[in-house]
């Protein structure tokens, strides 16, 4: 029996609703290419474009990556986590590697420049030497939630900060898949929020910050604001880390 016009229209509407959810599912992998960079300890680099310094070389056990411009997103992609796996059977492991973005970099149509330790995890046992000999491999990747059991989101006073005239902050141990898109500091003297500048990567800064303990708020993925009252000590120092007591989803 044929469909009536109303039934046919309803059927098409259902298809249009279901297709986007399938196309944009987080379970979907994207095809790309990956290479690696060398380091004496096989970990990440403390000089990455995200500004993480030592944290950027050791976070996630050193399984980190520089990413292409489209994934770096002018720095808002810093701290994002991806599962990356290569496609050369029988050399590649099924799970591949789970990396944290700590840098920007691309070459030869790659989206990922992996640390040596992360690139090694792409291979099955005994097959890593073969993958390293290729230099660049075809991969597939997907965004996954970052997980830091036992850690809250923290704000670190960046090493370039100079008390009291220049304050730079960087969020670390940022879980979930949300991105921090803005950071503001409360100016009690003016009774208003003042935006911090994204200096580069994940580093937010402000010259002549207010005196006393600092209250700040940050925006998550362009909508939700999270306020942290007196989170930064009135006598902050470069390198100090402050626990927010919250974590992102």
């Amino acid at each position: 029996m044929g469909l009536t016009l109303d039934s046919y229209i309803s059927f098409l509407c259902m298809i249009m609703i279901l297709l986007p959810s399938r196309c944009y599912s987080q379970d979907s992998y994207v095809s790309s290419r990956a290479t690696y960079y060398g380091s004496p300890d096989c970990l990440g680099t403390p000089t990455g474009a995200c500004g993480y310094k030592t944290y950027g070389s050791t976070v996630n056990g050193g399984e980190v990556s520089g990413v292409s411009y489209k994934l770096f997103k002018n720095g808002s992609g810093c701290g994002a986590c991806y599962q990356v796996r290569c496609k050369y059977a029988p050399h590649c492991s099924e799970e591949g590697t789970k990396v944290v973005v700590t840098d920007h970099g691309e070459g030869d149509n790659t989206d990922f420049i992996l640390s040596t330790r992360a690139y090694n995890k792409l291979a099955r046992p005994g097959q890593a030497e073969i993958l390293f000999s290729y230099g660049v491999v075809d991969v597939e990747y997907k965004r996954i939630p970052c997980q830091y059991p036992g850690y809250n989101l923290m704000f670190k006073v960046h090493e370039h900060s100079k008390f009291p005239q220049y304050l730079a902050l960087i969020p670390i141990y940022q879980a979930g898949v949300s991105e921090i898109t803005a950071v503001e500091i409360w100016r009690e003297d003016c009774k208003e929020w003042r935006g911090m500048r994204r200096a580069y990567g994940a580093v937010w800064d402000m010259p002549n910050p207010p005196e006393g303990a600092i209250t700040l708020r940050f925006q998550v993925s362009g909508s939700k604001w999270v306020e942290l009252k007196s989170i930064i000590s009135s006598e902050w120092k470069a390198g100090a880390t402050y626990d927010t007591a919250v974590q992102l989803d």
Side-chain angles (χ1 to χ4, degrees):
M1 183 172 63
L3 292 172
T4 65
L5 179 60
D6 287 344
S7 298
Y8 182 70
I9 292 174
S10 297
F11 176 74
L12 286 179
C13 290
M14 183 175 295
I15 293 296
M16 293 179 68
I17 291 171
L18 290 176
L19 276 178
S21 65
R22 293 180 62 87
C23 294
Y24 296 103
S25 169
Q26 279 193 316
D27 292 333
S28 299
Y29 280 89
V30 179
S31 295
S32 185
R33 286 159 61 82
T35 185
Y36 68 94
Y37 62 89
S39 61
D41 51 12
C42 298
L43 301 177
T45 172
T47 59
C50 288
Y52 287 134
K53 299 295 185 181
T54 302
Y55 169 85
S57 62
T58 59
V59 65
N60 195 40
E63 291 183 49
V64 298
S65 182
V67 293
S68 62
Y69 183 78
K70 72 179 181 182
L71 298 182
F72 188 70
K73 303 176 184 177
N74 285 328
S76 64
C78 289
C81 293
Y82 292 90
Q83 183 169 4
V84 183
R85 60 191 189 190
C86 63
K87 301 192 288 186
Y88 297 154
H91 309 306
C92 300
S93 65
E94 183 176 344
E95 183 175 342
T97 181
K98 297 177 181 178
V99 295
V100 178
V101 175
T102 59
D103 200 358
H104 166 253
E106 53 190 304
D108 198 11
N109 297 315
T110 62
D111 276 316
F112 295 88
I113 300 182
L114 304 168
S115 66
T116 307
R117 182 166 294 187
Y119 195 86
N120 185 76
K121 290 289 287 289
L122 294 177
R124 292 183 182 274
Q127 301 295 304
E129 187 174 346
I130 296 175
L131 292 189
F132 278 107
S133 71
Y134 292 154
V136 180
V137 292
D138 293 329
V139 299
E140 55 186 11
Y141 71 90
K142 67 177 180 179
R143 179 80 182 268
I144 59 173
C146 295
Q147 297 180 338
Y148 299 105
Y151 287 92
N152 294 318
L153 172 68
M154 299 182 183
F155 275 90
K156 181 179 180 180
V157 179
H158 198 270
E159 286 83 351
H160 291 165
S161 299
K162 297 183 183 299
F163 183 84
Q165 65 266 30
Y166 174 73
L167 174 65
L169 299 174
I170 187 164
I172 58 176
Y173 298 114
Q174 181 178 328
V177 295
S178 298
E179 297 171 353
I180 293 177
T181 57
V183 181
E184 297 181 343
I185 287 180
W186 176 251
R187 296 297 303 248
E188 181 63 27
D189 52 347
C190 303
K191 302 295 183 184
E192 67 180 12
W193 292 99
R194 292 279 180 88
M196 299 189 78
R197 177 183 69 120
R198 186 188 290 277
Y200 65 95
V203 181
W204 301 85
D205 70 355
M206 175 181 284
N208 303 312
E211 297 179 357
I214 293 176
T215 291
L216 64 82
R217 67 178 184 178
F218 61 90
Q219 190 177 36
V220 180
S221 297
S223 56
K224 177 183 176 183
W225 285 92
V226 179
E227 183 176 336
L228 305 169
K229 293 185 177 181
S230 301
I231 184 65
I232 307 297
S233 168
S234 59
E235 298 181 355
W236 51 265
K237 297 180 180 179
T241 302
Y242 297 93
D243 193 326
T244 67
V246 300
Q247 189 53 279
L248 303 185
D249 297 326

